[in-house]
Amino acid sequence: MPRKVIKGSPPFGYRDLIHLIELMRGDEKHDVSAYSTLDVLWVLYDSVLNVEPSTVDDPMRDRLFISKGHGPMALYAVLAAKGFIATEDLPLYGAFRSPLGWHPDRLRIPGVEISSGSLGHGLAIAIGSLYALALCCPSPPRSYCLMGDGELDEGSVHEAIALASRLRMGILTAIVIDNHSASHGWPGGIASRFDVEGWHTTTVSGRDHDQLRAALRNAGIDAKGAPHAVICEVV
């Protein structure tokens, strides 16, 4: 059954996002996590993703899998700014019966593809979803997976990186927020972790909208090629 789109959100711009985030209180320990994704999320929904409130259930929509599901205030602010959810719901963040929980819930929030929060699952889910789409659609839409650098410590992510390249998932883009929070890191930097498995990689500033827009638009255009990883440095 299609999810009902929440009505009543006026159009907002990038400069309004901070105000929208400030409407959500109670999860301040994840403020840093939220703000690290803000620019990436805005660029994705503003000028990259082929999805809008009226097409959240369109099979041919672009998909954004949020693996970095903790601290979703930036995601909720962007969804409100673009009309997927109502701004009136933002002050109810985390409240009893609110659709906006500490982690995003795909059954309650239009535009959210997966319920997430436990790290290390998103990339594997994105691969499985794309694989299923490819079985029933000759030209499946592009898929993006937003991850944190700490997730690369998870074995499930290592396996997913290896699998995506071997399946030649050229329409898959992993977006890694690099705020130097990984416990173990990777010799040569995050990009080399993907390079060694045959991915295309691009490293950009996670705050520069022009760099983000160019990297994200150019990724995922070769359906049968190597997948793409965009490393977004945020310090």
Side-chain angles (χ1 to χ4, degrees):
M1 181 176 180
R3 288 163 283 163
K4 184 179 180 180
V5 177
I6 302 173
K7 304 293 186 180
S9 295
F12 290 100
Y14 172 75
R15 295 182 182 276
D16 299 305
L17 295 179
I18 298 300
H19 169 67
L20 295 176
I21 289 177
E22 289 175 347
L23 295 175
M24 294 171 275
R25 310 309 301 165
D27 191 26
E28 284 77 10
K29 68 178 181 180
H30 284 131
D31 278 356
V32 173
S33 178
Y35 284 108
S36 70
T37 65
L38 184 62
D39 295 275
V40 172
L41 287 166
W42 174 257
V43 169
L44 280 166
Y45 279 98
D46 187 58
S47 54
V48 176
L49 292 175
N50 179 28
V51 65
E52 55 189 37
S54 62
T55 62
V56 291
D57 291 298
D58 185 337
M60 294 308 295
R61 70 190 183 278
D62 286 345
R63 287 160 172 79
L64 173 61
F65 298 89
I66 306 289
S67 187
K68 185 180 171 65
H70 55 289
M73 295 88 79
L75 171 64
Y76 296 161
V78 172
L79 289 177
K82 291 300 180 180
F84 289 83
I85 62 176
T87 55
E88 291 81 3
D89 284 329
L90 298 181
L92 303 177
Y93 173 57
F96 185 60
R97 296 191 184 281
S98 170
L100 307 182
W102 302 133
H103 296 157
D105 185 335
R106 68 168 298 274
L107 296 179
R108 306 190 72 188
I109 308 172
V112 170
E113 296 290 345
I114 58 172
S115 301
S116 59
S118 298
L119 298 178
H121 298 163
L123 189 59
I125 294 174
I127 291 171
S129 298
L130 258 183
Y131 192 83
L133 278 169
L135 293 177
C136 60
C137 178
S139 300
R142 293 187 298 178
S143 291
Y144 299 82
C145 180
L146 181 63
M147 310 164 61
D149 58 340
E151 292 188 69
L152 298 186
D153 293 340
E154 301 282 352
S156 58
V157 177
H158 288 270
E159 294 174 0
I161 292 172
L163 179 61
S165 64
R166 284 155 180 77
L167 293 177
R168 304 297 291 176
M169 287 191 162
I171 53 177
L172 173 64
T173 300
I175 307 167
V176 183
I177 303 296
D178 182 9
N179 56 9
H180 306 292
S181 64
S183 298
H184 303 297
W186 191 261
I190 289 177
S192 65
R193 174 67 192 95
F194 292 86
D195 285 332
V196 74
E197 294 293 351
W199 288 55
H200 297 304
T201 60
T202 306
T203 299
V204 299
S205 166
R207 301 298 188 196
D208 188 310
H209 291 194
D210 290 334
Q211 289 185 27
L212 288 168
R213 191 177 298 109
L216 295 171
R217 282 179 172 175
N218 290 331
I221 58 177
D222 183 3
K224 299 299 183 181
H228 202 123
V230 177
I231 316 304
C232 305
E233 296 183 333
V234 178
V235 293

